[in-house]
Amino acid sequence: MDFNAKLQSFTASIEIALDKFVPPSPLPYAGPNRIHDAMRYSLQAGGKRLRPVLLLAAHEALSQQNPTPDPLPAAVAIECLHTYSLIHDDLPCMDNDDLRRGIPTSHKKFDEATALLAGDALLTHAFDLLANNYNSTPALALQLLQTLSLAGNSTHLIGGQMQDLLSEKNTTLSSSDLDYIHLNKTAALVEASLVSGGIIAGASTAQLETLRTGGRHLGLAFQIIDDILDATSTAETLGKTPGKDAAVGKSTYVTLHGLDRARDLAGTSTDLAISSFQQLPDSSSFLLPLTQHLLSREK
Ligand code: GRG
């Protein structure tokens, strides 16, 4: 199967799973449909589905056709947690953005309170999915819960976001401070996606460590490219408002290093990620072309 067909097959299965594993609206029982409308509004607005695709790709690379539990509920859980972080990041008290995934942000479409609750509900739902879809193998459920809660906690995603907010207007941020923010705000969830795929596939501890290392490099490359696109692309292409970081005086890889050096850094992190993934048993793994593809992405 060629690269695009494979990517499309993964994303198609994720879209079906998102519909299946997120509460419908209207619910079959009486209740506030508005919260489920808001959850589905942001989830189904699209997005690249990078994190669930990484989970499925890592699962495929490590399971090598052996029967395993279904990776799709975990893939949906990761996308729910990611979407919560986007909804909250767009709120007026954070980035105050009007556009996400090409449509009005949750608080613009609904209101701030609903957007806050939709984010909270998606976060909770992520753990609900893991706890209830893998409970026939409690050790697996526990490992998945530990992996996702570590990535989303105050020492990773939320800590990275806190540091990012504290660093606003700090135009003299050091390169290692910036790496700290993005290793936690962006790379932690990329790592968790890959590791979760490996866990469901029954990967060894050494293979999980390889996925984690590759994920860290890939996450950093992804963020550097995000900064480059933010400086060079349009709202129409990105589906979100570009140039906001620079406008509020935030340091980015581009403001700190310049465009050319940022491109070099993205290339280096991509190469390091590929070197890690080459150590996995499946030498034709989809993870390799996927990592290369992300370097030249346009949105
Ligand atoms: C509010 C706890 C909390 C965290 C917010 C995700 C985040 C942290 C902020 C969003 C802004 C940003 C640039 C984050 C870096 C990670 C990133 C590039 C997110 C966007 O991910 P994509 O491009 O989005 O995969 P889609 O819409 O394609 O899923």
Side-chain angles (χ1 to χ4, degrees):
M1 201 187 274
D2 77 7
F3 175 79
N4 286 324
K6 182 80 189 172
L7 185 58
Q8 259 179 22
S9 140
F10 275 145
T11 47
S13 64
I14 291 159
E15 296 305 327
I16 293 169
L18 281 167
D19 191 41
K20 177 175 169 191
F21 289 110
V22 176
S25 182
L27 283 171
Y29 56 82
N33 289 333
R34 184 175 176 82
I35 185 62
H36 302 103
D37 283 342
M39 289 162 77
R40 284 180 164 256
Y41 172 80
S42 294
L43 261 183
Q44 295 184 327
K48 295 177 285 298
R49 311 305 190 199
L50 170 68
R51 294 149 193 83
V53 166
L54 287 172
L55 188 150
L56 296 185
H59 172 262
E60 186 179 80
L62 273 305
S63 61
Q64 301 196 305
Q65 320 296 328
N66 295 326
T68 74
D70 184 3
L72 281 167
V76 171
I78 293 264
E79 187 66 13
C80 285
L81 192 138
H82 167 59
T83 305
Y84 125 76
S85 77
L86 298 180
I87 294 174
H88 282 193
D89 185 65
D90 289 333
L91 285 170
C93 61
M94 296 221 193
D95 249 15
N96 192 18
D97 227 314
D98 295 353
L99 190 68
R100 173 68 68 179
R101 294 179 162 171
I103 57 173
T105 44
S106 183
H107 64 276
K108 283 282 163 188
K109 169 79 179 169
F110 297 91
D111 53 52
E112 274 184 57
T114 306
L116 188 74
L117 290 175
D120 291 342
L122 285 168
L123 172 62
T124 311
H125 191 59
F127 294 101
D128 185 324
L129 282 171
L130 297 180
N132 288 304
N133 284 280
Y134 298 96
N135 51 352
S136 59
T137 324
L140 170 65
L142 180 62
Q143 243 187 315
L144 291 172
L145 286 161
Q146 286 169 331
T147 302
L148 193 61
S149 55
L150 180 70
N153 77 10
S154 56
T155 64
H156 291 85
L157 175 69
I158 293 176
Q161 175 76 353
M162 183 79 255
Q163 192 57 52
D164 193 36
L165 293 172
L166 291 171
S167 304
E168 264 179 30
K169 310 243 181 298
N170 182 353
T171 46
T172 58
L173 209 63
S174 72
S175 168
S176 62
D177 289 341
L178 194 63
D179 283 350
Y180 169 83
I181 292 172
H182 296 304
L183 282 171
N184 291 296
K185 198 174 111 174
T186 308
L189 205 51
V190 169
E191 279 175 50
S193 306
L194 290 159
V195 170
S196 299
I199 290 170
I200 298 168
S204 67
T205 308
Q207 288 167 341
L208 294 180
E209 204 37 54
T210 300
L211 286 170
R212 192 171 282 292
T213 305
R216 191 170 312 129
H217 294 305
L218 175 56
L220 215 47
F222 187 78
Q223 181 60 53
I224 299 169
I225 296 155
D226 203 69
D227 283 357
I228 294 172
L229 293 175
D230 192 60
T232 57
S233 193
T234 61
E236 203 177 22
T237 306
L238 296 178
K240 60 183 180 182
T241 319
K244 287 208 71 184
D245 287 350
V248 295
K250 258 191 206 171
S251 293
T252 71
Y253 285 96
V254 174
T255 61
L256 220 61
H257 301 285
L259 258 181
D260 288 345
R261 175 90 184 112
R263 286 198 176 104
D264 288 348
L265 289 170
T268 305
S269 290
T270 298
D271 291 345
L272 288 168
I274 288 176
S275 300
S276 294
F277 298 143
Q278 279 169 338
Q279 293 166 34
L280 296 171
D282 179 3
S283 57
S284 62
S285 159
F286 179 69
L287 284 173
L288 301 172
L290 177 62
T291 303
Q292 197 63 51
H293 165 81
L294 290 171
L295 184 60
S296 50
R297 71 190 171 98
E298 290 177 355
K299 60 178 189 167

